[in-house]
Amino acid sequence: MKILWLTNLRLPIVDEILEKKANYFGGGWLTGLLEEILKNKDNSLLLCYPEYEDKTIVSGSTDNISFYGIPVDAKKCRLGTLHIESVRNDFVQIIEKEKPDVIHIHGTEFPYSNALVKAAEKTGYLDKTVVSIQGMVSVYAHHFYGNLPRNVRISRTLKELLIRDGVDDRYNSFLRRGETERETIAIAKNVMGRTSWDYINTVSINPGIRYFQSNETLRSNFYTGEWEFDACNPHSIFVSQAGTVLKSFHMVLDAVEIVKKFYSDVKIRVAGPDITQGNQINGNSYGQYIKHKISDKKLNDVVRFLGSLDAERMKDEMLKANVFVLPSSIENSPNSLGEAMLLGVPCVSSDVGGVSDMMKHETEGYIYPADAPEMLAYYIKKVFDSGEQASKLGEKARIHAQVTHDPTFNSKRVMEIYEELAK
């Protein structure tokens, strides 16, 4: 079976073929699924992705993988102002040349997904096309600010002013991209999702769409290793992202200010670049807000940004943490939570999107109202207070995650969907 994928990033296998250094750690679940699908030598994958560096289509192949990098303007994609006609025409040519059995669009967040679903419609492939729900910017926009003060929402550094990338600018881009996303889902005939949250938000846009339930396979290294209390750093918190407002790192700081009254040695380790660097000229306004918040709450010695982490380093940080915290203002089915659960790390997460489908409150972890940092503090303290007993939460979470993210079952399910569409 020849399967065409559209992904939001260039996958590592393409980097290897092009001999390019990967500049973004992400999409690990795609690599996991790719590996499982290609275990069957009768399958081949045609990978399409947005190409931001070249102005012409980049293509290549090896064994049963081929790829096309479709040139698009990165800024227009981010802002939601991309004109999709030329992109759609590129996809039409690729479909007509390659004649895939199935088209799988991974994500609806960017306008090139709209271009491909329209190309599928034009070429008669719409019945053989399925759209996966990752996040939904049309819904995320309603939760974008996550209790952020108004003065931070409207502030901009000079750099953000020049490139239109302040907090409010990003919110407005979500609104624009959300309109295109809704059109994509309205045109599509088939959708693949994971949670009750993405189900209801999808069918509310297109009541006639066919919804396929299918969970994700996560990065392979998270399927081995298990959290142990004796091997963790007591009273340490690991957060996997803080770079955007949606990830609500500011709520963690509010919570840890409370926790510190009981555990003066509490530490927060954050994956990703240090967003507090820079200033009102070359920094970003959310990062400047975080910098001032850290200082005001006297948490300078508590917070450490770790830089970009590959899968193995991310795993190591999770295993060393006393608790994994996911404080987002909105999520669908967060892979970082799934990875922490696979390792048996005690987890605390905001009750947003599909999180409650993934983890059962007080049995497998703790879930708190997203706008209540005092409850986040309560559950972090509860994990710290329980000491070695926290491993019981992790053990049950691990069992649940092994079912949700079973690579063999999930890849079989995806292939079942592909085979049904290919008919």
Side-chain angles (χ1 to χ4, degrees):
M1 180 182 291
K2 181 186 283 189
I3 305 152
L4 187 157
W5 276 10
L6 173 62
T7 61
N8 287 332
L9 70 160
R10 192 175 63 221
L11 295 184
I13 185 65
V14 177
D15 289 326
E16 292 175 18
I17 298 169
L18 294 174
E19 297 182 346
K20 288 192 174 186
K21 182 179 179 182
N23 56 13
Y24 175 73
F25 294 115
W29 69 96
L30 294 170
T31 297
L33 179 59
L34 178 150
E35 291 170 351
E36 289 293 321
I37 288 173
L38 293 183
K39 285 180 179 178
N40 183 339
K41 300 303 180 184
D42 293 331
N43 293 331
S44 63
L45 279 172
L46 173 61
L47 307 176
C48 296
Y49 61 90
E51 173 56 56
Y52 301 124
E53 298 168 5
D54 289 279
K55 296 188 182 299
T56 56
I57 292 177
V58 177
S59 62
S61 63
T62 180
D63 298 327
N64 51 352
I65 292 178
S66 53
F67 63 86
Y68 291 91
I70 312 299
V72 294
D73 186 298
K75 183 177 180 180
K76 289 180 179 179
C77 272
R78 173 174 58 80
L79 293 175
T81 58
L82 181 73
H83 295 293
I84 68 166
E85 286 77 13
S86 64
V87 183
R88 182 195 60 194
N89 292 337
D90 287 338
F91 283 133
V92 167
Q93 293 177 27
I94 291 169
I95 293 170
E96 291 177 342
K97 175 185 175 183
E98 298 287 348
K99 296 180 173 56
D101 295 298
V102 171
I103 297 172
H104 187 169
I105 301 172
H106 289 275
T108 55
E109 306 96 319
F110 292 98
Y112 44 74
S113 296
N114 183 273
L116 180 50
V117 81
K118 286 182 175 177
E121 184 178 39
K122 184 174 182 180
T123 55
Y125 267 81
L126 203 54
D127 286 325
K128 298 185 178 188
T129 298
V130 63
V131 179
S132 274
I133 302 299
Q134 294 178 170
M136 292 184 68
V137 289
S138 56
V139 184
Y140 279 21
H142 303 312
H143 306 270
F144 188 86
Y145 293 118
N147 285 15
L148 202 65
R150 175 168 170 73
N151 65 303
V152 182
R153 300 180 192 180
I154 63 176
S155 66
R156 292 179 181 87
T157 64
L158 179 59
K159 177 183 176 182
E160 288 173 330
L161 190 62
L162 293 173
I163 65 173
R164 295 169 62 190
D165 198 31
V167 174
D168 257 359
D169 294 312
R170 293 195 176 200
Y171 167 72
N172 289 323
S173 77
F174 270 45
L175 292 178
R176 285 190 293 270
R177 285 159 51 194
E179 292 177 6
T180 308
E181 176 180 71
R182 292 178 66 87
E183 183 185 45
T184 300
I185 294 170
I187 294 171
K189 292 189 175 182
N190 306 290
V191 67
M192 196 182 299
R194 294 165 280 164
T195 68
S196 52
W197 178 88
D198 67 33
Y199 167 79
I200 192 60
N201 281 296
T202 301
V203 299
S204 67
I205 296 170
N206 183 349
I209 203 165
R210 191 177 186 188
Y211 184 92
F212 294 95
Q213 167 71 33
S214 179
N215 290 316
E216 285 188 340
T217 296
L218 302 179
R219 293 181 286 186
S220 58
N221 59 320
F222 288 92
Y223 289 86
T224 58
E226 188 170 357
W227 183 86
E228 296 178 3
F229 176 74
D230 291 340
C232 83
N233 295 321
H235 314 148
S236 64
I237 299 165
F238 179 65
V239 179
S240 63
Q241 290 191 57
T244 65
V245 174
L246 283 167
K247 300 304 177 182
S248 292
F249 184 63
H250 51 286
M251 302 294 275
V252 179
L253 300 178
D254 289 339
V256 170
E257 182 183 30
I258 299 171
V259 174
K260 193 178 178 185
K261 296 175 182 178
F262 302 92
Y263 291 95
S264 59
D265 61 341
V266 63
K267 300 293 182 187
I268 311 170
R269 294 172 68 82
V270 190
D274 186 350
I275 59 174
T276 67
Q277 294 298 303
N279 50 43
Q280 285 302 119
I281 296 175
N282 61 8
N284 73 77
S285 49
Y286 181 64
Q288 294 304 297
Y289 170 62
I290 292 296
K291 179 197 292 186
H292 293 308
K293 202 173 183 73
I294 289 172
S295 178
D296 290 345
K297 295 182 179 298
K298 298 180 173 54
L299 298 176
N300 297 78
D301 296 330
V302 173
V303 180
R304 182 180 174 189
F305 291 92
L306 303 171
S308 295
L309 304 181
D310 61 16
E312 198 57 39
R313 289 183 62 202
M314 184 78 79
K315 173 183 174 180
D316 183 58
E317 288 295 334
M318 286 184 175
L319 290 173
K320 290 191 300 185
N322 198 159
V323 63
F324 171 79
V325 169
L326 188 136
S328 303
S329 62
I330 187 63
E331 293 277 359
N332 178 16
S333 173
N335 291 322
S336 58
L337 177 61
E339 290 171 345
M341 290 175 67
L342 275 175
L343 295 173
V345 183
C347 296
V348 180
S349 174
S350 53
D351 188 6
V352 295
V355 164
S356 60
D357 289 352
M358 294 179 67
M359 185 174 75
K360 303 308 176 189
H361 178 52
E362 292 191 331
T363 302
E364 301 164 352
Y366 297 117
I367 299 175
Y368 69 95
D371 61 352
E374 67 280 359
M375 292 307 297
L376 171 56
Y378 171 75
Y379 288 120
I380 291 173
K381 181 180 178 295
K382 193 168 184 178
V383 172
F384 289 173
D385 289 346
S386 62
E388 191 172 357
Q389 294 303 306
S391 61
K392 292 182 178 179
L393 284 175
E395 288 168 5
K396 291 178 181 177
R398 192 164 181 260
I399 292 169
H400 189 169
Q402 286 173 335
V403 174
T404 304
H405 305 293
D406 183 319
T408 303
F409 181 87
N410 291 343
S411 61
K412 181 181 178 182
R413 173 60 180 152
V414 169
M415 287 308 303
E416 287 173 352
I417 294 169
Y418 289 168
E419 288 163 6
E420 191 161 345
L421 295 177
K423 295 176 183 178

